[in-house]
Amino acid sequence: MSRMSRVQHGSTARTADARATTNVPATTDVRTPADIQATGDLQTPTGIQTPTGIRAPGGDRLRVLIVAESFAPQVNGVAHSVLRVAEHLMSRGHTPVVVAPRARAAPGGGGDGLEQAYGYEVVRVPSVPLPGYPEVRIALPGRQLAHALARHRPDVVHLAGPFVLGAAGRAAADRAGVAVVAVFQTDVASYARTYLPVAGAAGARLAWWQLRRVHAGARTLAPSRASFQALVAHGVPRVHLWPRGVDCVRFHPRHRDESLRRRLVPHGEFLVGYVGRLAAEKQVDRLAEVSRLPGVRLVVVGDGPCRPQLEAALPDAVFLGRRTGPQLARLYASFDAFVHAGPFETFGQTIQEAMASGLPVVAPAAGGPLDLVRPGQTGFLVPPGAGAGFREAVERLLRSGELRSALGRAGRAAVTGRSWEAVGDQLIEHYRLALAETTPGGDHSPRSGP
């Protein structure tokens, strides 16, 4: 029996059983928010069904073409998760190929648009800078994508934050009859309101129209319950929950550096950190009241087009620019508390990294943070869009070292099970389920070898 036959045979029986036990009508594959655990523990989402007959990760090898709207050397949630997913696929014996916009200075690049610097093939497609934010590259899909799909002959196409390049990847996969897993990662509609205010609600509606087109027919993965609900409300079918992992070895309280603290706060101030891009949608200016608190020093880690305006708006804050690797881990662990102001996060990866570092977190009660922060247990959720809530929460942490320690310990404990290995294996099961649900077309023939 071919691998596709094994997959289809095993999936059919289990899928029927799953529908019977969860009372999900056979005509739909959408999991309602009630089907998802609402405890804040994203370790084992109930939307994942593992059919019998589909071998566990590390069994049959998969070829996966990852079509990413953003990739290294860019620093953002999409690029970071793609790096970790590709690493995990390699570790499990699968073969990833990444298709992504060409950066201005990509490591190991060649004239043919191919890279091998990451241990797997990266195909770069032409791109143009986003007006007003040149660090963000917008892909110009062309023949490179189709050639990569024809050469790699993937079992599954993984669309990472799909919109422009992802739409082209989806169309190419459909033509080849390849299973598609679409990972929702960017709140494009909210970004449209932020960067195209003249378009207003019409811009947001257009964004959702495009997202429905890209996700229709794919197995869509949402990173949080808020994203899940938004996708379902806007007519996207077959939505499932798939969170993100965090490296709890790299991000750990033991990396606290007292000499670094003395340089940042020579007078022993309470050290509040923000880590992330300095872009309009992050609303870092909402932290102005925090930066003016007596005995508090706000440290901003990251870069972006809004940095000059933010340095003027937050004259008491320290701006360190972009930091990565061990240097970033030491900064996290050396903070006393972590704040994040952006209300448009589909997940909130820096919040997880702060929690892994043993920090209490203050974040807006919107989007991804609703799943990550347990109010009064691991931090505080405050009304989005207003600085007073952030100031009051930081003041409360400033007054009580015992509270800070308790929240930090609980936060660390809450994320220790969310390794990239664990969520990576969940993703591989989603790939196999998508394979089982897809009828091959054209001349596509899944491979069983490397």
Side-chain angles (χ1 to χ4, degrees):
M1 183 182 292
S2 69
R3 186 174 67 172
M4 177 59 75
S5 298
R6 291 199 307 273
V7 168
Q8 290 175 324
H9 175 77
S11 175
T12 301
R14 177 60 181 266
T15 301
D17 291 343
R19 283 173 176 151
T21 57
T22 57
N23 297 318
V24 177
T27 56
T28 182
D29 198 21
V30 173
R31 309 293 179 191
T32 68
D35 295 322
I36 300 175
Q37 293 173 341
T39 62
D41 180 6
L42 302 185
Q43 183 64 16
T44 310
T46 59
I48 294 180
Q49 302 291 338
T50 306
T52 56
I54 297 182
R55 298 179 64 181
D60 288 352
R61 296 179 181 178
L62 295 175
R63 293 177 179 266
V64 182
L65 188 73
I66 304 175
V67 181
E69 296 290 338
S70 180
F71 188 63
Q74 294 180 25
V75 179
N76 54 54
V78 173
H80 176 71
S81 66
V82 170
L83 280 169
R84 300 311 299 263
V85 165
E87 290 171 2
H88 183 73
L89 290 173
M90 294 278 288
S91 75
R92 289 290 191 250
H94 306 296
T95 305
V97 167
V98 174
V99 180
R102 180 176 293 133
R104 288 181 294 180
D112 57 0
L114 300 181
E115 301 172 16
Q116 294 288 346
Y118 301 95
Y120 45 85
E121 184 176 309
V122 178
V123 180
R124 296 286 184 174
V125 303
S127 68
V128 295
L130 179 68
Y133 198 166
E135 291 84 0
V136 174
R137 309 293 298 185
I138 305 299
L140 300 174
R143 66 183 186 281
Q144 293 92 340
L145 175 57
H147 288 175
L149 192 144
R151 184 176 65 256
H152 187 53
R153 300 190 71 189
D155 300 294
V156 177
V157 171
H158 171 142
L159 306 179
F163 199 69
V164 178
L165 185 58
R170 174 64 203 278
D174 283 351
R175 288 193 295 270
V178 181
V180 177
V181 171
V183 181
F184 180 77
Q185 295 183 254
T186 305
D187 187 352
V188 181
S190 294
Y191 281 26
R193 294 189 192 96
T194 300
Y195 288 99
L196 300 170
V198 68
R205 286 195 298 270
L206 181 61
W208 274 114
W209 174 82
Q210 172 70 351
L211 287 169
R212 279 193 297 273
R213 288 182 63 243
V214 176
H215 285 268
R219 185 178 185 87
T220 291
L221 306 184
S224 63
R225 286 175 293 147
S227 296
F228 183 107
Q229 291 166 335
L231 287 162
V232 172
H234 285 88
V236 176
R238 299 175 64 199
V239 184
H240 302 262
L241 185 68
W242 179 64
R244 303 292 178 269
V246 64
D247 188 338
C248 288
V249 175
R250 170 177 293 179
F251 300 105
H252 195 285
R254 66 169 171 260
H255 298 309
R256 188 175 178 92
D257 187 333
E258 293 300 333
S259 64
L260 173 60
R261 283 181 57 84
R262 284 192 294 271
R263 292 195 299 273
L264 292 173
V265 286
H267 302 294
E269 295 93 336
F270 184 69
L271 195 52
V272 177
Y274 164 85
V275 177
R277 290 183 294 112
L278 306 186
E281 72 276 5
K282 300 298 183 181
Q283 298 189 7
V284 182
D285 57 313
R286 304 295 186 189
L287 303 177
E289 292 190 41
V290 171
S291 72
R292 292 194 293 266
L293 282 172
V296 170
R297 175 57 56 87
L298 176 65
V299 174
V300 177
V301 181
D303 216 336
C306 291
R307 180 169 177 174
Q309 301 96 299
L310 289 171
E311 287 179 328
L314 308 173
D316 298 313
V318 176
F319 287 78
L320 297 181
R322 175 185 170 188
R323 296 290 188 272
T324 60
Q327 193 176 35
L328 177 61
R330 283 196 301 272
L331 280 165
Y332 269 120
S334 300
F335 295 150
D336 295 308
F338 183 81
V339 290
H340 186 89
F344 305 132
E345 298 299 322
T346 59
F347 187 70
Q349 185 63 24
T350 60
I351 292 174
Q352 279 205 137
E353 292 168 355
M355 293 170 70
S357 302
L359 299 178
V361 171
V362 180
L370 291 170
D371 282 353
L372 298 176
V373 181
R374 297 173 181 173
Q377 299 180 47
T378 62
F380 299 109
L381 293 173
V382 302
F390 294 99
R391 184 198 70 238
E392 291 165 5
V394 169
E395 283 180 319
R396 187 173 175 185
L397 293 171
L398 175 62
R399 289 193 299 266
S400 176
E402 183 178 352
L403 176 63
R404 294 197 302 272
S405 296
L407 297 180
R409 286 193 303 270
R412 167 84 184 169
V415 299
T416 50
R418 299 180 196 164
S419 68
W420 277 106
E421 181 180 61
V423 300
D425 285 347
Q426 292 174 7
L427 178 62
I428 291 169
E429 289 306 314
H430 279 297
Y431 289 161
R432 296 188 186 282
L433 286 161
L435 244 175
E437 296 160 352
T438 302
T439 302
D443 60 358
H444 172 61
S445 177
R447 302 284 190 173
S448 58

